[in-house]
Every structure is written in structure tokens, then in C-alpha cells.
Amino acid sequence: MLKKILIANRGEIALRIIRACRELGIETVAVYSEADEQSLHVQLADGAICIGPAPASESYLRAERIIAAAEIADVDGIHPGYGFLAEDPDFAEQCEECRIKFIGPKSGSIRMMGDKAVARETVRAVGVPTVPGSPGVLADPNEAIKVAESIGFPVIIKAVAGGGGRGMRLAHNSMSFHREFAAASNEAAKAFGNGAVYVEKYIEEPRHIEIQVLCDEHGNRIHLCERDCSVQRRHQKVIEEAPSPFVTPELRKAMGEAALKAAAACDYWNAGTVEFLVDKDRNFYFIEMNTRVQVEHPVTEEITGIDIIKEQLRIAAGEPLGITQDDVKILRHAVEVRVCAEDPARNFAPCPGEITLYYPPGGHGVRLDSHVYGGYIVPPYYDSMIAKVITFGRTRELALDRMHRALSEYLIRGIKTNISFARAIVRDPVFAAGEATTKFVEDFLARTPRDLLARTNEELDQSTENT
Ligand code: MV4
């Protein structure tokens, strides 16, 4: 087993990794920026090293500082968490060259899946369904328009270096295609330093359903079923759940097998996620592979009983998987809400500041993954997510009732959060019926009065006190 690892991250995921290490007897070293000196991940790790000023570009994104810290602390491995350097193939390669185990896939797999056109072509070649589209990158607008016309409009233009919705443009006809093609390419060149784009048929109102995979370094590969992440606002997930209310046992089997084919095609190891779009007729199409542990991994842990972070550590230590596909069972239903420091009344603008009062939810069927506490100051430099509330139960209805109850208990004062927004979604008839597609949040916001989303639990409590 690994003896000592460095955690190249902050916040709840750094804590999550420290906790898994504690249970496995692995020593931990935290790294932190000047803004995170008082953070729980610094307090809870066995050691901690400051790697620079508050902005991520001067601390958590500095590969050379993290490698230097790893060498000073003499660790065997680095866990990158999610975000920051987690999907940077150059960082993984530097770890490999320094003989520090990168707790994730090899750099070659990250590089391959990081180019969305290469990823798509690679998995298509092994029989994974992809969205009809261009065979690869389209450089010439006149060639691109021929492809678009042969696919049929509407089409979506995607940046090769994109992912997560950045650098995407929709075209409804040949006229708008010229404009959108140029816009997508320019936007991608500016944002990623790579203007290459490809074209796909546009799938209307799909569901976003992803398969969790675990692969060891000996060629064993299993999947841990799906997560439904259709409830998103501007490509940011708000609520995730497992199993998907839309997925039948037959579809689960087919998507699971396709995900394992995709993993095999890039010689994948460690934990990964294969993302699919699923249309109303339950056709599924590969869109991309995430070569890291994801924010929403706890819903899979809660339905299967498998600790994904511990599995990552065991795989990185070279152990063969101790679980077979037949061992993977869906034991219950789980839901996750991402709690963010943001103001729903001001178009979800980030809302950093001091948490003046904090009362977290708990009780039967509730898990809270968070690094915050009363008196904590949410810094303005990083992602606004401050907690993940995960609830679970024998049925979806029970998991959702528990989520509503947990969110009602959750008191955070001093900063604005999206708690009331999430609670309203949980009680929405379309969501409750399991009918949410990726268009759900937009529709929900259009039919929901703003003041309802902005109301905090304490304001709701005050209105009940008065009655
Ligand atoms: C699409 C699509 C429709 N058709 N591709 C957005 C994020 C990126 N991972 C892929 N995305 C989409 N790709 C085709 N061919 C619609 C989306 C999309 C979406 C996907 C998942 C979750 C939310 C979304 C919101 C808008 C658009």
C-alpha cells in the first residue's frame, strides 16, 4: 500500500481524501494557499505545506510547486481530486517522470480523452455509440457546412479542447452555420489556445447520464452503474442522483458495457466517468470521458456501498480490484445537492463572506461532505461550492423526502446560498416524477417566482413563528 500521499486540492474533496487515507493507514500531506491557512484540510492532514498566494493560478494550479512540495515531504503519491490539475496530462506526466504515483489514470489516457474529437473517434472505433457527426476536426468552413447538411440541422459545433459546455455553438441552418462555426472556433482559440472544432447532430432535450467505472492496472474493469445529472444550470450540476429514474435494467447493462469499452479503448485505469446523452427514446450517445473522480461520486458510493476514493488508492498501489461486476448491486436510491455560496436573487452571483451561524443537517439517511463551519470565511478565489448534501433510502421517494427534510434543517447565515432553490426543485412535480431533462432548470426558473428562490430557511422559520 502507499505509505504517504500529498493531496493537491482544497475544500471538501481534500477532506474526503484525508478521511479515506486515515481509514487505510496512509499518512497525508495537505497543500494550501495563503487564503486557506485556516482550512479544515490543513488542520486534519498529518502535515501541510503552503504553496503560494490565494489565486489558484499562483497556488493550486502550479504543478512545479506541488511537485516540489511532494519531494520535500517525500510522499509516494499525489491525489489530484477534481478540478485544478486533475485532468492536466502534463502534470500527470511530470509525476510519472519524478516517480511519484499520480492517483488517477496514466498521462496518455488523460491526453487522449482531453481531445474531445480524438475521444469520440477512439470510442466509436470500438463500437460505442456516438452522436452522428463529423469524423474528426473540421478546419475548412465549406467542408464543415457539407458535413452539417448531410447530418441535417440543427447541429452543434463543439471545441476539441472544450468540454463541460464551453466553446459550444448551435446552428439551425446553413446561413447561421457560417457565423456560429467562426464564433465557436474563435471562442475556443481564445479560451483554450486551440480553435479546432467538430460538428454533431443536435440532440433535443437529452438527459445527461454518466457511468462510473473502476479499472485496475491489470486490465480488470467494472462499472458502478449510472448517475443522472440532468438537473444543471449553465452546465453546472445542481442535483445528481442514482440510479436514474429513466434508466431501465436493459439500458443500464448496455450503457455499462459501452462505458467499459470506452475505458478499454484508452487503456484506462483508476476511477473514471463516461458521459452520455440519452434521448427520449432511450438511445444513448457517448459525449466525453472524465478522467478524474467527480464531485458527485458519493451518490454512487451510497447506492453501491463501495468507497470510490479507497478504491482509487488501492488501484494506485497496484492492487487488483477486489470487486467483480457481479458484486456490484444497487442497494438503495441516493440524491446529492450541491450547496453553493451564491445568490439566486442576483442571477446566482457568487456570495463569499463569513458564515456567522451554521447548523448542519444530520440524522438517518443523511451524509454531509463539507469543509465549512460556523465562523468560516468563504474565500472569493475558488469555486462557490461549500457543501454536498447526500440523502439516501430504500426508494427514490424516501431519498427525496429526506433531502427536503435535510435542506429544511440546514441553517447558514452571513452568506446567501442556493439551499431554498434546491429545496424547491426537490418538491417540483416534474423533478419528483423523474422527468427532468437538461432543459429542466431553465423551464423551472421561468415558471418560479424569484422571491421564492431567494427566501432563506430562517425567513421561512420566521414566517412560521408568526403563525
Ligand atoms: C450536446 C447536446 C445536444 N446534442 N451534444 C453540454 C456539455 C457538454 N458536455 C455536452 N453538452 C451538450 N452536448 C449534442 N450532440 C446538448 C448538450 C447540453 C447539455 C449536456 C449535458 C447536460 C446539460 C446540457 C445543457 C445544454 C446542452
Side-chain angles (χ1 to χ4, degrees):
M1 206 14 160
L2 303 162
K3 275 181 64 188
K4 188 180 185 184
I5 70 159
L6 180 145
I7 297 152
N9 216 301
R10 64 180 301 279
E12 68 84 21
I13 193 65
L15 272 188
R16 171 74 188 86
I17 297 162
I18 292 169
R19 286 168 171 156
C21 288
R22 273 282 143 76
E23 292 180 16
L24 289 173
I26 301 170
E27 261 189 88
T28 55
V29 179
V31 292
Y32 63 98
S33 72
E34 285 166 9
D36 280 340
E37 227 173 297
Q38 302 303 316
S39 276
L40 269 186
H41 80 279
V42 176
Q43 315 283 313
L44 275 168
D46 298 307
I49 299 174
C50 184
I51 50 165
S57 59
E58 294 178 53
S59 50
Y60 298 106
L61 285 169
R62 287 285 181 101
E64 76 286 2
R65 293 189 183 183
I66 288 166
I67 304 243
E71 297 203 305
I72 289 165
D74 194 26
V75 298
D76 313 311
I78 296 182
H79 197 308
Y82 52 71
F84 299 126
L85 296 169
E87 290 178 286
D88 181 335
D90 297 332
F91 178 65
E93 195 173 302
Q94 284 170 45
C95 291
E96 289 160 2
E97 282 164 1
C98 298
R99 294 172 194 268
I100 299 166
K101 186 73 197 182
F102 179 80
I103 302 165
K106 63 180 174 193
S107 58
S109 307
I110 303 176
R111 206 177 294 284
M112 204 163 173
M113 289 300 170
D115 181 313
K116 305 303 163 187
V118 169
R120 186 166 168 276
E121 203 43 42
T122 303
V123 308
R124 195 198 57 77
V126 297
V128 176
T130 55
V131 188
S134 57
V137 170
L138 292 168
D140 173 19
N142 294 316
E143 192 202 327
I145 207 149
K146 278 188 209 147
V147 172
E149 277 165 354
S150 72
I151 303 165
F153 289 100
V155 299
I156 189 163
I157 305 152
K158 296 184 177 183
V160 157
R166 294 164 307 162
M168 278 184 3
R169 289 294 180 114
L170 193 59
H172 290 282
N173 52 56
S174 307
M175 281 266 287
S176 67
F177 184 85
H178 268 291
R179 186 177 64 239
E180 300 300 340
F181 185 84
S185 184
N186 288 334
E187 210 173 280
K190 251 200 193 152
F192 317 114
N194 178 0
V197 296
Y198 60 103
V199 172
E200 283 180 355
K201 173 93 188 155
Y202 181 65
I203 311 288
E204 317 255 0
E205 293 197 40
R207 283 169 173 80
H208 171 129
I209 299 177
E210 57 189 31
I211 303 281
Q212 175 73 55
V213 300
L214 283 180
C215 312
D216 66 20
E217 299 182 4
H218 311 277
N220 301 302
R221 299 183 187 93
I222 62 170
H223 72 82
L224 306 184
C225 307
E226 79 283 1
R227 294 184 287 259
D228 193 321
C229 308
S230 299
V231 179
Q232 309 195 1
R233 187 188 154 272
R234 302 213 176 151
H235 304 294
Q236 290 290 352
K237 293 167 188 166
V238 181
I239 302 185
E240 306 99 346
E241 65 178 308
S244 167
F246 192 66
V247 171
T248 60
E250 296 73 38
L251 181 58
R252 178 168 302 121
K253 188 161 182 286
M255 290 180 74
E257 284 167 6
L260 294 181
K261 276 191 205 166
C266 64
D267 197 13
Y268 199 84
W269 63 55
N270 216 285
T273 299
V274 184
E275 290 189 1
F276 296 96
L277 296 180
V278 181
D279 72 15
K280 60 182 189 322
D281 301 318
R282 292 191 174 81
N283 297 304
F284 65 90
Y285 310 94
F286 170 92
I287 44 169
E288 49 195 77
M289 180 166 188
N290 299 314
T291 57
R292 57 165 196 278
V293 73
Q294 288 194 269
V295 174
E296 59 271 26
H297 76 277
V299 298
T300 302
E301 296 186 323
E302 296 308 329
I303 68 158
T304 62
I306 296 166
D307 185 321
I308 293 170
I309 307 292
K310 280 190 190 170
E311 292 302 329
Q312 286 194 289
L313 293 162
R314 291 194 191 105
I315 291 166
E319 290 181 22
L321 280 178
I323 320 154
T324 66
Q325 193 64 61
D326 284 342
D327 296 333
V328 179
K329 295 266 161 30
I330 299 177
L331 307 173
R332 52 189 152 261
H333 199 94
V335 197
E336 173 179 281
V337 162
R338 297 187 185 193
V339 176
C340 298
E342 61 187 22
D343 186 355
R346 290 200 200 125
N347 200 27
F348 299 87
C351 197
E354 184 179 348
I355 298 177
T356 54
L357 181 135
Y358 188 69
Y359 184 83
H364 195 190
V366 179
R367 165 176 170 182
L368 186 66
D369 279 20
S370 175
H371 61 291
V372 311
Y373 47 84
Y376 179 78
I377 298 166
V378 180
Y381 305 101
Y382 317 108
D383 190 275
S384 66
M385 193 180 77
I386 55 170
K388 304 186 300 202
V389 181
I390 304 103
T391 63
F392 40 92
R394 206 170 35 74
T395 63
R396 182 171 190 265
E397 195 188 2
L398 181 50
L400 292 182
D401 286 347
R402 281 194 174 133
M403 181 58 78
H404 190 261
R405 187 271 287 172
L407 294 178
S408 305
E409 273 176 28
Y410 205 170
L411 290 186
I412 299 177
R413 287 190 205 175
I415 58 166
K416 299 269 200 271
T417 75
N418 64 338
I419 289 174
S420 294
F421 170 59
R423 195 166 53 157
I425 292 178
V426 169
R427 278 291 178 259
D428 180 85
V430 175
F431 176 75
E435 284 165 9
T437 70
T438 51
K439 210 165 157 281
F440 172 80
V441 172
E442 192 186 318
D443 294 345
F444 173 85
L445 286 171
R447 65 179 141 78
T448 307
R450 274 308 122 110
D451 70 313
L452 216 93
L453 305 176
R455 212 173 301 163
T456 62
N457 282 336
E458 80 201 78
E459 284 163 341
L460 289 171
D461 291 346
Q462 279 161 7
S463 63
T464 47
E465 261 170 40
N466 296 340
T467 56

